[in-house]
Amino acid sequence: MDQRLLEEKLNEMNDRQREAVEQTEGALLILAGAGSGKTTVLINRIAYLLSRGLCAPYHILAITFTNKAAKEMRDRIEKMMGADAFGVTAATFHSFCGRILRAEIAVDGVYDGSFTIYDSDDSQRVIKGAMKALELEEGVLSVRSVQSAISRAKDQRIAPDQFCKRFGRELREEQIARIYAAYEALLREANALDFDDMILKTVELFENHPEILAKYAGRYRYIMVDEYQDTNPLQYRLVALLSSGFHNICVVGDDDQSIYKFRGATIENILLFEEHFPNAKVIRLEQNYRSAGNILDAANQIIAHNARRKGKELWTAAGKGEPVYVMRVSDDFEESRFVVETLQDRILRDGADFGSFAVLYRTNAQSNAMERFFVKSGIPYQVVGGNRFYDRKEIKDILAYLHIVNNPRDHLRLKRIINEPRRKIGAVTIAAVEEAARREALPMLDVMMRAEDDPALRRTAPQLAAFAQTIAQLREEMNRYPLDEWVARVARETGYIAMLEQEDTDEARDRINNIMELCSSVRRYQQENQGGTLSGFLEEVSLMTDLDLMTDETERVSLMTLHSAKGLEFDYVFMVGLEEGLFPSQRSMESEEDLEEERRLMYVGVTRARKGLYLLHARQRMLYGRTQFCMPSRFLRELPPRAVSEFSPKSDSVFAAQPAGYKTPTAAPVMTGTAPPAARPPIIRRPAPTAAPFVFEVGDRVYHKTFGAGTLRSKTPMSNDFLLEVDFDRAGKKKIMANFAKLTKSEE
């Protein structure tokens, strides 16, 4: 790389960034605040090492967490340095360890370099095999819970024979220890490693064979680790061993964004860096190039309430911008409507596109109410880092049960859930039932009920009849309970909830919560549709999953959990559900350590916003199948009043638990920032839509505030509304609900 070009790159950096680039020797901790340009620093640091002749490319190792981040790093280095960068190693922890193990693992004579890497599904199958060999039924221990326990043990370097000493000698722990030992034996027999083994075996290889460690520690003179706050103890040990040759270890991270404790990450790695690596230098990158000043003031004030942190203060030269908007709504229905209407206003007022917006929430179940509004308004969206609510497996499974009760001839749904939970009804038996049903022109359920009379089905007749009787009982009970209570009974009486409870994992608990949120959807449907039936609800859900709602547009509003949002940024961010028990979560209140991680999650969410940030909390919320009154999140009390504009709808009742330091405005708030108030009018909330006669006919030219002019192609009655299909001139075909569309006559 030309030295003059490098100097130009360095001159474009701020003083702290340049200092981090030029500090090449010894241990270095770069505390990189959100939006502070850490990737640019890493790339320029590699270029500096090579351009100054401090080492050859193959002496540099850069480790990150995702393949995408590693590829981006390689591409940017090559673009800047060209052929001079050939040989730089930029890889994830797992891929880097994989290379070492392929070359060295045979030294112990247990594995050879052709080993197979088992993914999560593969590991579960091996665990099932171990349990079967030990004659342990899945009903006693779920495969997922055993897998989680083994993974946790490997992260903490606990062998099977040490498991009970560490986690207790209850029957459950003793059984897991036996399965763990059998699982490891099966892996060795298959010459296979799981994901946890990739780092564990590399660390053990280095510790047990000093000559192998010397080879790699002698090769990599300069080691850089990105996202260091997300490392676990095993990853720290790997880095410490690799850097033992030249002691030139540079880690980049932000202790204020350490949010993956549930994955095994520990904030102690970054907090104790100076103890782990004596004489380490610390450089803070505090200038932010992403967010407006008021957003940064809010982030700084919130995170300052954490005691366990290194400390830094984000700032920007870009001005204060708009205030942070704090919105109190009556419930989650109004919350969703406010988001949709405010988003539409922003598009009209500021010329923003759909991709400029994100809605962030604490749990996946919160996407349910939001998705309903997005679908009904015709706004394109994507659920990032997860499935759409009605596409989640547990939701599709419970809906399949509902469809079968509603329509016993729905054989497609029946085959989906006949073994969810497991009933030991094999594929051959299912095919035989299907053939008998076709031959006798009967529903499969009828064939299953009298399976004892069919020689081909007699062996599994008890299981088949039990399933059919369960469906018959649910159909009989349907008219005895409110629809939402009955749906909850379906989830219980089919054994589905019990199956998830046996797993005893965070993922299983989230799936149970999602099922309870489905019950909330049913209750909302009943509230909105007097006399609503199961058929009507399933019809409404079909709208939510209709493939016609998918568009070819690349610009979509992003819906995601706060954990999924890390590393992303948007012009406008809505954070919803800022209530005690939801965010921060109820479980986090059990310890100050967990509460501080929730606060870091809040900090991550706030710093995703570039221009506008909306923080919403509800007076009451229907979630997980029940309605509860809500207290505003404690994080709202921690906001700096000077950076905040709070407003709420007029109400007959005063919300007694307003955050300390705030006054509910009696008039519309004055928007402060770079634009004059006239250019930034407050969002005017409109009354909830009510059913009204739809005055337009097919063929009429209509106008939508977001999509513009179009032609009405069809209108279909649905409950107390109409499903419209409009061919918009600019946005293409959309299916939207009339009450939400608020179409007007086109002025053409």
Side-chain angles (χ1 to χ4, degrees), residues 555-746:
E555 296 294 344
R556 301 170 184 266
V557 180
S558 295
L559 277 61
M560 69 187 81
T561 64
L562 285 148
H563 282 99
S564 298
K566 187 171 175 291
L568 304 177
E569 55 186 81
F570 304 89
D571 283 349
Y572 304 101
V573 169
F574 298 88
M575 291 177 63
V576 298
L578 281 161
E579 296 125 28
E580 290 288 296
L582 184 54
F583 190 33
S585 68
Q586 194 66 44
R587 261 181 285 173
S588 71
M589 298 179 190
E590 296 175 2
S591 73
E592 190 62 31
E593 180 181 337
D594 290 339
L595 188 58
E596 288 204 353
E597 176 146 340
E598 288 287 288
R599 189 174 283 110
R600 293 194 292 270
L601 192 57
M602 177 73 179
Y603 174 86
V604 166
V606 168
T607 53
R608 298 311 94 196
R610 298 188 191 105
K611 299 178 182 178
L613 176 64
Y614 294 83
L615 307 177
L616 284 78
H617 61 102
R619 183 163 56 89
Q620 67 178 37
R621 180 177 299 277
M622 186 189 296
L623 193 65
Y624 308 146
R626 61 185 183 274
T627 299
Q628 53 195 10
F629 288 94
C630 308
M631 296 281 287
S633 170
R634 67 191 66 197
F635 300 148
L636 295 176
R637 301 189 190 99
E638 298 169 359
L639 292 167
R642 66 184 181 279
V644 172
S645 178
E646 180 174 0
F647 54 111
S648 61
K650 292 182 179 179
S651 174
D652 295 333
S653 62
V654 178
F655 191 43
Q658 286 285 41
Y662 295 140
K663 293 181 179 179
T664 303
T666 55
V670 176
M671 304 300 180
T672 60
T674 55
R680 296 286 183 192
I683 303 299
I684 304 300
R685 300 187 63 263
R686 291 173 285 279
T690 56
F694 186 68
V695 298
F696 298 108
E697 298 297 334
V698 173
D700 286 352
R701 293 288 290 172
V702 295
Y703 181 82
H704 185 276
K705 63 178 294 185
T706 302
F707 303 122
T711 302
L712 179 62
R713 297 302 185 191
S714 69
K715 64 174 186 177
T716 305
M718 186 170 288
S719 300
N720 59 346
D721 203 351
F722 287 94
L723 173 63
L724 311 178
E725 183 175 11
V726 183
D727 190 357
F728 290 103
D729 301 342
R730 175 168 50 87
K733 288 184 179 180
K734 300 283 183 184
K735 285 188 176 181
I736 48 183
M737 301 303 293
N739 283 336
F740 284 80
K742 301 174 186 175
L743 299 176
T744 58
K745 183 176 177 60
S746 175

Side-chain angles (χ1 to χ4, degrees), residues 397 400-401 404 408-420 423 425-427 429-435 438 444-445 448 467:
D397 286 346
Y401 276 110
I404 291 168
R409 292 185 175 275
D410 191 341
H411 294 172
L412 179 68
R413 263 78 175 219
L414 186 150
K415 288 187 288 184
R416 176 187 177 90
I417 48 78
I418 194 168
N419 275 310
E420 291 287 347
R423 297 184 176 90
I425 301 173
T429 299
I430 296 171
V433 171
E434 196 168 15
E435 172 59 31
R438 189 180 300 113
M444 288 177 67
L445 282 170
M448 295 165 75
F467 176 80

Side-chain angles (χ1 to χ4, degrees), residues 269-288:
N269 283 356
I270 195 166
L271 294 180
L272 300 178
F273 183 82
E274 292 151 283
E275 292 183 24
H276 293 158
F277 300 94
N279 303 316
K281 184 176 179 61
V282 179
I283 296 175
R284 289 169 168 79
L285 304 184
E286 298 173 300
Q287 183 172 357
N288 178 282

Side-chain angles (χ1 to χ4, degrees), residues 23 36 43 157 191 209 230 251 303 343 395 415 475 485 523 527 547 626 681 687 699 717:
Q23 179 66 39
S36 61
I43 300 302
R157 305 185 68 178
N191 191 35
H209 299 278
D230 295 335
V251 303
I303 203 63
L343 185 152
I395 300 303
K415 288 187 288 184
R475 185 180 301 113
E485 290 183 23
R523 190 179 306 171
Q527 292 170 348
L547 293 177
R626 61 185 183 274

